[in-house]
Structure formats: C-alpha cells, structure tokens
Amino acid sequence: MEEHQFEQSGWTLEALLPAHEGAALEHELAKLEQQVAQFEASRERLSPEMNVETFLELMRLSEAITTSLSRLTAYAHLWFSQDTQSQEALGFLGRMEQLSTEMQNRLLFFSLWWKGLDEEPARRLTAASGDYAYYLESLRRFRPYTLSEPEEKIINLKDVNGSGALVKLYEMITNRFSFTLEIDGEKREMTRDELSAYVRDPSPDVRAAAYQELYRVYSDQGMVLGQIYNHRVRDWTSENVTLRGVASPIAVRNLDNDIPDPVVETLLDVCRTNMPVFHRYFRLKARELGVERLRRYDVYAPIGAAEKTYPFSEGVGMVLDSLGRFSTVLADHARRVFVDGHVDSEIRPGKRGGAFCAGVLPGLTPWVLLNYVGRTTDVLTVAHELGHAVHALMAGHHSVFTFHSALPLAETASVFSEMLLTDRLLREEDDPAVRRDLLVTALDGAYATIARQAYFVLFELEAHGRAVDGATIDDLCALYLENLHEQFGDAVEVSEDFRWEWTAIPHIYAAPFYCYAYSFGQLLVLALYRQYRNEGPPFVPRFLKVLAHGGSRSPHEIISEAGFDMAAPEFWQGGFEVLQDLLDELEAL
Ligand SMILES: [Zn+2]
C-alpha cells in the first residue's frame, strides 16, 4: 500500500531556469545567440556530398538550440499558468515567444535544404543518423508531392492571402461572436466557452437554450461561414489532389499523421458499425432522466454526481497504487513527479483552470498542473496527467526531436492510466453513486472523443466531394443533418437547428480531417486495454515498449512491433467491447 504523504502545493521551475532575470537568464540567452550564429555560419557546409560527421554535428547543434528554446518558452508558459494575472509573467511569455519565432526563422534554411535534397544523399545521411532518423524522414514525407520551386513559391505566396486568409477570416468572424443566455431570470452575455458549460446543466431548458443560442448566432452568419468552408475545401482538393497528386483529400492528413489510408478507413468503419453501443447508452440516459427519448440537447446531461470526495493524498495514493499494480516502473516514474516538486495542485486565485502535463524535454521530470477539489473526476484527472508524465519519462532517452509522441499516440498512457483507475474503483468502491459517476464519465468521454469526432470526419469526406461538384450551403446543411440522423439513429431526437453545427467546428476549417486523430487515440487505448485484460502480465512489457518509443517511429510501426494489427477491424472492435462492458455495469446499477 502507498503511504499517503502528498500535500497540495505549488511547483518549482528551477530545473528549467533558476530565475526569470539575472545572470543565469542572460547566460542562457547569450549561449543561445552564439549557437544560432554558429548554425547560420554552417550554411555553406551543407551539400549532398557532406560527410556524416559534419551532418551529425549540425544536428546536435540544432538539438541544443531547440533544447534551449524549449527551456525558455516552457518556463514562460508554466510561470504564466501558475499566475495568469502577473504582468511580469505575461511580459516574459511575450518576449520568449518572439525570441523563439525569430530563432526558428533563422534556422529554417536547414529544413528547406533537407527537404530539397535528392533521394540518394538523403538516404545516406538518414541511415547514419540514429535516433534522428524518423524525424528526418518525416520532414521529407511530402517530398513526392512537392512541385517545382517556382510553383511552390507561387502556392506559398498565394496561400497567405488565399486559404490562409480564409481560415483567418473564419476565426475573426467567429471569435467576435457573443452569446446571450438567461440564467436564473437574468440575461447574461458570454463567450462560446462560457456558453458551452451550459450544455451540461442539470436543467433541460437551460441545455436546450444554450444550444439554440449557439446556432442562432452561427446561422445568422451561416451563408458567409458556409461559403468560406466551400472555398477552403475546394482549394484543399485543387492544391493537394489536382496539383500535387495526393490520392484523396483525406490522404493528405493521413500522410501528415503517418498512418496508412486503409487503417483510417477501418477505424471509421468500425466506429460507424458500433454506434448501437452509444444508442444503448443514450436510451439509458433517457430512462434516467425520465423522458421518452433523449433530445440532442441532452446528450451531455448529468445523471447524478457522487457526493463522495477524496482528500488529495488519498486520491494520489489511489492513482499510484493502480499504476503500481500494473507496473512498478510506471508508479516509480509517477512518484518522481511529486518528489521533484513538479506538481502545482493548489487552488489559487489567478491560476489557470483545468489540468495539463508539460513533458518539456527528454530526461527532465515533466510538470503537472491540477486544480484538485477532490471529486471522482479530479482523481481521474490526476491519473490522466500522471499518465502523460510517465509516458514522457519512459521516452526520456530519445532526442528532443523524437521524444514527443505523435498526436495519434499522445494519449496512450494518459487514457490507459485512467482506465486502470476506473477499473480499480469499480471493483473496490461500494458507493453506487461513485460507480455511476465513473461509468458516466467514461461513456460521455468516449462518445465525445470517439464517435462524435469520427462523424465529423465522415461528414468531411462527403462534403469535400460535394463541394467540388458545386454544392450549395443548403446542400451542406442537409448533408450534415443526414450525418446526424445516421449517427444518432432513433435513439436521439435531432432538431433542425443542428443543421448549422458544421459551421461551428473550427477544426474542419483550420485542419481538414484532423478530428479522426482523437477517435484513433482513444479507441487505440481501449483496444490495448482489452488486450491487457485478455492477456494479463505478458501484455505489460509490450505496452511499456510502446511508451518507450515516444515519437521515434511511425505510429503504425510502434503498434505493429508490440504485436498488434491496426489494419484489422477486430483490433479496433476490442475497444468497443470495453465500452460495452462499462455500459453493462451501468445498466446493472
Ligand atoms: Zn491528455
């Protein structure tokens, strides 16, 4: 058992920088300037014939510069998070961000040279690059789709005022939106973030009003926002498919994520065929809420929250214990975050809300910010963020370029750690309200991260095709409603106002097809968890190996090497089986 010695406290940033002013900072800045100047001076040494030693020397210098910049910007971000009201912290953050941009611009010539290099010398240098190899390969992944230099120049130039400008206009228009909601008889003006909190309100009227207000405002500008989308997706196809020759609009994103097209197809198919799991959950929610059928407004309705709270040291103790039962290596890593004083868990005015883990640099203990008040969900958050921290520590032997895992694998340890805790509590906690809370939290989260995101991408697949064929905004609205009707079946009543929802999803404007990475990450972890339950202890070293790869290989390689087949529908199906079990337990309560 854990001895419970954890107290809520602030963190120390000393491992990044001893202070935000004075000799140590000046020294760090001077060293950085000297290194960047040295790197710039190496420009003429770049050539297809250059020897491996010179190349690696430059890579190491580039790594040292990136390390130094990460140190400075992480210090600034973490300081600002702990005290968002501090003008000094804000000023320092602005200064470091500007410094980082300037330095990166001065280094840009290197990656441009590398991307332009011919196949043969690139292969020779990559082969000798050890841990840098995957990073170097990734920089060249789009090379087969790269056009001639003058063509690339024109595209860059025109994008600034073309597709880039469209996305910027979308943001400018929607960031200015203000929403009005009546709460307790009083009209309040609010931002979208503030409004969104009300979709989880206990009152059905407030939930409906929040959504109606959201789409009243978006539909008001619907024609403009829709037209921006139309241009954005037509440009996506004409540039990437027509000019560059990428196989399809979504293949551009798959290339970026380094995930094979058929794997993404399988993932989306499995999500689609498993919607009945969520339909069952929505019917259960309807029964709990005492209504015939759930409205789309009620999808995130709370159904009773547990009163029970866990003191901080007990909550942390439970998390360490559930990690430790899986692997003592992971529990020791998690403990180190506390021992090194890298957790800010206090509730303080001016501190940033929510929670995050910053795994700044390989070999450095990550920093974890929490706002712990002791609810079951707070304990789950501790499990989640400590999961990120142990992932970073497991991958600590990689270079600064290959240490962070790619987006599709970024949530592997965090969600797994949450599952370990959920399972443990379900087995040992006899308060039914706590059990219900755990199950509802897990299923609400799974819907929002897996199914909802997959359906955004299913919409995009259709919309990109139709837009090119000249679809009108009404066509796209109708298409979106069809998508929702398929998604919710007859389990949820979808009202007409949701036809505008697609105009309110920034991701489909800024980064087409990006959203499946969320479904991918979450379902992958559930599928792995399923394997763990089937296999028991032999699974553990395979999982640790996945974590230890960090971002040093493609997601596909990392998962295959651990013995799992992402191309097989059965693998993903395993994730839904975990959800079905959770749902069975909830129904039995
Ligand atoms: Zn996370």
Side-chain angles (χ1 to χ4, degrees), residues 25 77 82 178 238 278 283 303 322 379 396:
L25 175 68
H77 278 287
Q82 78 186 45
S178 140
S238 33
F278 291 109
R283 289 198 187 92
I303 42 179
S322 68
V379 188

mmCIF file of all heavy atoms in Angstrom, residues 25 77 82 178 238 278 283 303 322 379 396:
data_model
loop_
_atom_site.group_PDB
_atom_site.id
_atom_site.type_symbol
_atom_site.label_atom_id
_atom_site.label_comp_id
_atom_site.label_asym_id
_atom_site.label_seq_id
_atom_site.Cartn_x
_atom_site.Cartn_y
_atom_site.Cartn_z
ATOM 1 N N LEU A 25 19.743 33.804 -16.635
ATOM 2 C CA LEU A 25 18.964 34.041 -17.846
ATOM 3 C C LEU A 25 19.843 34.676 -18.925
ATOM 4 O O LEU A 25 19.816 34.241 -20.089
ATOM 5 C CB LEU A 25 17.761 34.940 -17.539
ATOM 6 C CG LEU A 25 16.951 35.341 -18.776
ATOM 7 C CD1 LEU A 25 16.233 34.139 -19.390
ATOM 8 C CD2 LEU A 25 15.940 36.430 -18.445
ATOM 9 N N HIS A 77 5.683 29.688 -20.184
ATOM 10 C CA HIS A 77 4.312 29.166 -20.179
ATOM 11 C C HIS A 77 3.894 28.692 -18.792
ATOM 12 O O HIS A 77 2.783 28.949 -18.340
ATOM 13 C CB HIS A 77 4.172 28.007 -21.168
ATOM 14 C CG HIS A 77 3.974 28.470 -22.573
ATOM 15 N ND1 HIS A 77 2.790 29.031 -23.001
ATOM 16 C CD2 HIS A 77 4.798 28.480 -23.638
ATOM 17 C CE1 HIS A 77 2.912 29.366 -24.275
ATOM 18 N NE2 HIS A 77 4.115 29.046 -24.686
ATOM 19 N N GLN A 82 0.759 29.426 -13.726
ATOM 20 C CA GLN A 82 0.604 29.436 -12.272
ATOM 21 C C GLN A 82 0.092 30.786 -11.794
ATOM 22 O O GLN A 82 -0.461 30.898 -10.712
ATOM 23 C CB GLN A 82 1.913 29.054 -11.568
ATOM 24 C CG GLN A 82 2.941 30.162 -11.507
ATOM 25 C CD GLN A 82 4.264 29.684 -10.931
ATOM 26 O OE1 GLN A 82 4.769 28.629 -11.293
ATOM 27 N NE2 GLN A 82 4.834 30.461 -10.035
ATOM 28 N N SER A 178 -20.838 36.839 -29.724
ATOM 29 C CA SER A 178 -21.170 36.919 -28.311
ATOM 30 C C SER A 178 -22.562 36.306 -28.142
ATOM 31 O O SER A 178 -23.419 36.405 -29.027
ATOM 32 C CB SER A 178 -21.093 38.385 -27.900
ATOM 33 O OG SER A 178 -22.123 38.710 -27.039
ATOM 34 N N SER A 238 -8.002 21.234 -54.978
ATOM 35 C CA SER A 238 -7.262 21.648 -56.171
ATOM 36 C C SER A 238 -5.765 21.682 -55.917
ATOM 37 O O SER A 238 -4.997 21.288 -56.779
ATOM 38 C CB SER A 238 -7.760 22.965 -56.781
ATOM 39 O OG SER A 238 -8.227 23.828 -55.818
ATOM 40 N N PHE A 278 -23.534 3.294 -28.433
ATOM 41 C CA PHE A 278 -23.882 4.615 -27.896
ATOM 42 C C PHE A 278 -25.393 4.814 -27.875
ATOM 43 O O PHE A 278 -25.921 5.472 -26.978
ATOM 44 C CB PHE A 278 -23.179 5.717 -28.692
ATOM 45 C CG PHE A 278 -21.692 5.723 -28.473
ATOM 46 C CD1 PHE A 278 -20.813 5.322 -29.474
ATOM 47 C CD2 PHE A 278 -21.162 6.097 -27.241
ATOM 48 C CE1 PHE A 278 -19.442 5.306 -29.256
ATOM 49 C CE2 PHE A 278 -19.790 6.083 -27.013
ATOM 50 C CZ PHE A 278 -18.930 5.686 -28.026
ATOM 51 N N ARG A 283 -30.290 5.683 -24.686
ATOM 52 C CA ARG A 283 -31.601 5.215 -24.205
ATOM 53 C C ARG A 283 -31.594 5.103 -22.687
ATOM 54 O O ARG A 283 -32.564 5.451 -22.020
ATOM 55 C CB ARG A 283 -31.970 3.872 -24.842
ATOM 56 C CG ARG A 283 -32.321 4.015 -26.312
ATOM 57 C CD ARG A 283 -33.104 2.814 -26.848
ATOM 58 N NE ARG A 283 -33.239 2.972 -28.291
ATOM 59 C CZ ARG A 283 -32.379 2.467 -29.173
ATOM 60 N NH1 ARG A 283 -31.355 1.714 -28.761
ATOM 61 N NH2 ARG A 283 -32.538 2.685 -30.472
ATOM 62 N N ILE A 303 -26.226 12.820 -15.025
ATOM 63 C CA ILE A 303 -27.197 11.987 -14.297
ATOM 64 C C ILE A 303 -26.627 11.653 -12.921
ATOM 65 O O ILE A 303 -26.015 10.623 -12.708
ATOM 66 C CB ILE A 303 -27.644 10.722 -15.077
ATOM 67 C CG1 ILE A 303 -26.471 10.020 -15.784
ATOM 68 C CG2 ILE A 303 -28.672 11.077 -16.126
ATOM 69 C CD1 ILE A 303 -26.913 8.751 -16.527
ATOM 70 N N SER A 322 -2.860 2.145 -8.400
ATOM 71 C CA SER A 322 -3.412 1.444 -9.559
ATOM 72 C C SER A 322 -2.360 1.339 -10.671
ATOM 73 O O SER A 322 -2.282 0.333 -11.365
ATOM 74 C CB SER A 322 -4.702 2.098 -10.057
ATOM 75 O OG SER A 322 -4.451 3.357 -10.603
ATOM 76 N N VAL A 379 -9.836 12.889 -9.350
ATOM 77 C CA VAL A 379 -8.888 11.779 -9.188
ATOM 78 C C VAL A 379 -8.566 11.188 -10.569
ATOM 79 O O VAL A 379 -7.425 10.857 -10.878
ATOM 80 C CB VAL A 379 -9.446 10.691 -8.235
ATOM 81 C CG1 VAL A 379 -8.358 9.662 -7.939
ATOM 82 C CG2 VAL A 379 -9.936 11.308 -6.938
ATOM 83 N N GLY A 396 12.371 9.133 -22.274
ATOM 84 C CA GLY A 396 13.401 10.130 -21.958
ATOM 85 C C GLY A 396 14.753 9.930 -22.609
ATOM 86 O O GLY A 396 15.585 10.827 -22.593
#
